[in-house]
Amino acid sequence: MSPKSRPSAGPAAQSSVKTGAQIIVDTLIEQGVDTMFGYTGGVVLPLFDRLYDAPINFIIPRHEQGGCHMADAYARASGKVGVMLATSGPGACNLVTGLATAMMDSTPMVAITGQVRTELIGNDAFQEADTTGVTRPVTKYNCIVKDVKDVARIFREAFYIASTGRQGPVLIDVPVDVEVAKFDTKNPVEMELPGYRVRTKGHARQISTAAKAINDSGQPVLYVGGGVISANAAEELRQLADKAHLPVTTTLLGLGSYDQNRPESLDMLGMHGAAYANYAVQECDLLIAVGARFDDRVTGKLKTFAPNAKIIHIDIDPASISKNVHVDIPVVGDAKFILPELIKEVEHRERKQWFKKIAEWKKKFPFSYDREASTIKPQYVIEELCRQTKGGAIITTGVGQNQMWAAQFYRFSRPRQLISSGGLGTMGFGLPAAIGAQVARPGETVIDIDGDHSFNMTMTELATAVENKLPIKVCILNNGYMGMVRQWQELFYNKRYSKSYLSNPDYATVARAMGAVGITVDKKADVPKAIKQMLAEKRPCVADFKIEREENVWPMVPAGKSLDEMSGLDILESIA
Ligand SMILES: Cc1ncc(C[n+]2csc(CCOP(=O)(O)OP(=O)(O)O)c2C)c(N)n1
Ligand SMILES: [Mg+2]
C-alpha cells in the first residue's frame, strides 16, 4: 500500500492520552531516531501499527541477527544510537549474537523486544522467552517495562545509558498489554538514574602526571583503541601525537583513529599486527593507552607484555583500568575532554634514536606477500581495492583471515571507516554491517571484505540490500576453507584439517538470484577490471575472488606467546 493510501492514525495521535506503543514511537522520535531496523511478530503488532505512518526509515532484515548487526554498524558508521526491534521468544533469542557483538565492541544500541502479556509471563506462554534473563550478560543494561506510565522514562534512560560512558547495547522488553494500555502524557517525565554516574573530565593532577611522564620519555608509544573513535576524539589524538611527537599504533577497532599514511603510524599491533608495532611496544619505556582495553589479542602473554614500560591508561570505563595489565597512571574520563588538557602540558621531543630504530623495523618487516605469484593473493585484492578507492571506502569485514588481511592491507585514514567485529569475532557480521553502514552513509562506497564461510552465515541479507537499493559491494576472499581455522590446524595440529572445509555455492549465481550483480574472478589478471566494474555498479554487487587456498596471515604471535615472539618474520623478511 502506498503511503498516501494508508488509513490515518486518527485523532488519538493528537491527544495527550496515548497507548504505550505510541509513547514508544514518540520517544524514539524525540531521541532523534530517523532510521531503525526490525522484524515483526505477534506481540509487537501494536507497535508496528504505530510505526506504519511514523517518520522513521524502517529497514526489515531477513533474520533478526542480521538486523541487530545492521543497527550496530549503523551506529558505528554514524555515531548515533542504533535501534533494533524484534518480537518475543524466537525473535528476541535471535538478537543474542548481535547484542554480544555490540557489547564487546561498546556500540551504542537500543534493542526493543515484545513480550507476552504480563499475566502470562512465567507460564511457558506461546513465544515466551525470558528475554531479560537471556540477554543480561550481553547488554550494558536491560529491563522489562511493567507499567505504561514508565514507558517514556525507561526509553529515555535506555538512550542515555547506551550513548554515555562506555557505550553499549541496552534492551527494553515490552509486554504486549503495556503496548496497548493508555496513559495521559501531559506531565513531563524525568530520568531516574541515581546510581549511574559518568566521569567525563579527567583528574587534573593525573593529567599533569601523565604529561610529565610523556615529556620525560625517550621511547614512548601511543596505543589507541576504538574508544577514541567512540569519543569522536581522533583530531585531538592527532594533535597530541603531533605536539609530543609520538609513534602511534592502534588496535583493530582503533584503525582509522590515526591516519595510517602519516610517518608516525605504526599500524595495527597484536596477534596479526605489524612486527614494528609489536617490537616498539615491547621496547618502549612508556605506553600511553587511550580508549583501549589491553585485550589478549593485543597483549599476547601478559607477564612479558611491554616489560620496560610505565603505563598511562586514559579510559572512560573505570572497570577497564588495571583489569589485565597493571596501570601506573590511570586517567578516567572522556578522551574528548582529557586529550586537550594533556596537549596543553606536553612538549615536543625529537626522540631521534627511537624513531630511527622504528624506521629500521619498518624497513625490515613490512606487511608483505608474494607479489609475483600467478594465483590471486588475497592481499593483492585488498591492495587493489585500496588503490582504486583511494583509501576512502568504508570497509566492513567477516571474521578470520579476511578480517586480518583487510586490517593489514587497506590503509585507513579517518574514523568510522572500518567496521568489524573485534571483541566477539562474529562470523556473518560483514554483510549486514555493510547494509547498516550504507544506510547511515548513503553517498559513500561501502565494501564488505568477507570470508566465504563468514558470508555463508548471513548471506540471506543480500535480499535486504537489493530491496532497499543499497549499492553495497561484497568482496568474498574465497579460499574454500575456514581459512583462519585451517591456518591454526596447519601450524599447531600437523595439517590435520579437521572439519574446516565445506563446499560453497556459486556466489555469483546466488547474487543474481537475489537480484544483485554477481562476478566471479579466477584469474589474477582480471582482478583490477573486476574491481572497477564492482565499484561502478549501482546495484548491490558480489565479487567472488577465488584466492590462493592455503595462504597464511603473517606475522602471527601464537596464543600465549610474547608480542615479540612472532612467527612468519622470516617469510616477510625474505619477500620484503
Ligand atoms: C559465528 C562464529 N562461529 C565460529 C567462529 C570461529 N571461527 C573463527 S574464524 C573461522 C573461519 C572463517 O572462515 P571464512 O569466513 O571463510 O574466513 P577465512 O579465514 O577463510 O578468511 C571460524 C570458524 C567465529 N569466529 N564465529
Ligand atoms: Mg574462507
Side-chain angles (χ1 to χ4, degrees), residues 431 447-448 450 455 462 472-476 534 541-543:
L431 172 62
I447 305 172
D448 168 26
D450 221 333
F455 183 72
L462 210 46
I472 57 159
K473 332 285 178 200
V474 180
C475 289
I476 302 176
M534 181 189 77
C541 180
V542 176

Side-chain angles (χ1 to χ4, degrees), residues 427-442:
M427 287 171 71
F429 182 75
L431 172 62
I435 293 173
Q438 187 78 78
V439 170
R441 311 260 288 268

Side-chain angles (χ1 to χ4, degrees), residues 301-355:
K301 188 173 167 188
L302 273 176
K303 265 202 176 134
T304 49
F305 175 69
N308 312 316
K310 189 183 256 191
I311 297 185
I312 299 173
H313 190 184
I314 301 171
D315 207 285
I316 193 123
D317 178 16
S320 289
I321 306 276
S322 291
K323 186 173 173 179
N324 300 334
V325 168
H326 172 76
V327 171
D328 302 286
I329 310 171
V331 190
V332 176
D334 188 334
K336 187 88 186 163
F337 291 92
I338 293 169
L339 295 181
E341 295 305 312
L342 197 54
I343 290 165
K344 283 182 202 157
E345 296 188 47
V346 294
E347 292 158 9
H348 184 87
R349 295 280 184 275
E350 242 359 275
R351 303 191 171 104
K352 268 210 182 109
Q353 283 307 315
W354 184 225
F355 277 100

Side-chain angles (χ1 to χ4, degrees), residues 401-402 450-454 477-484 504 547:
Q401 294 181 314
N402 60 89
D450 221 333
D452 44 338
H453 294 292
S454 292
L477 301 179
N478 188 352
N479 49 15
Y481 284 106
M482 299 173 194
M484 187 57 92
N504 283 320
I547 61 162

Side-chain angles (χ1 to χ4, degrees), residues 394-468:
I394 296 174
I395 303 292
T396 69
T397 75
V399 167
Q401 294 181 314
N402 60 89
Q403 178 184 34
M404 293 299 111
W405 286 318
Q408 293 182 340
F409 288 89
Y410 203 90
R411 312 292 297 164
F412 298 93
S413 56
R414 62 193 164 112
R416 306 190 185 279
Q417 204 189 343
L418 173 65
I419 297 176
S420 186
S421 168
L424 200 66
T426 307
M427 287 171 71
F429 182 75
L431 172 62
I435 293 173
Q438 187 78 78
V439 170
R441 311 260 288 268
E444 300 205 34
T445 302
V446 178
I447 305 172
D448 168 26
I449 297 177
D450 221 333
D452 44 338
H453 294 292
S454 292
F455 183 72
N456 287 344
M457 288 207 169
T458 54
M459 66 175 154
T460 184
E461 300 303 347
L462 210 46
T464 311
V466 170
E467 173 141 39
N468 290 281

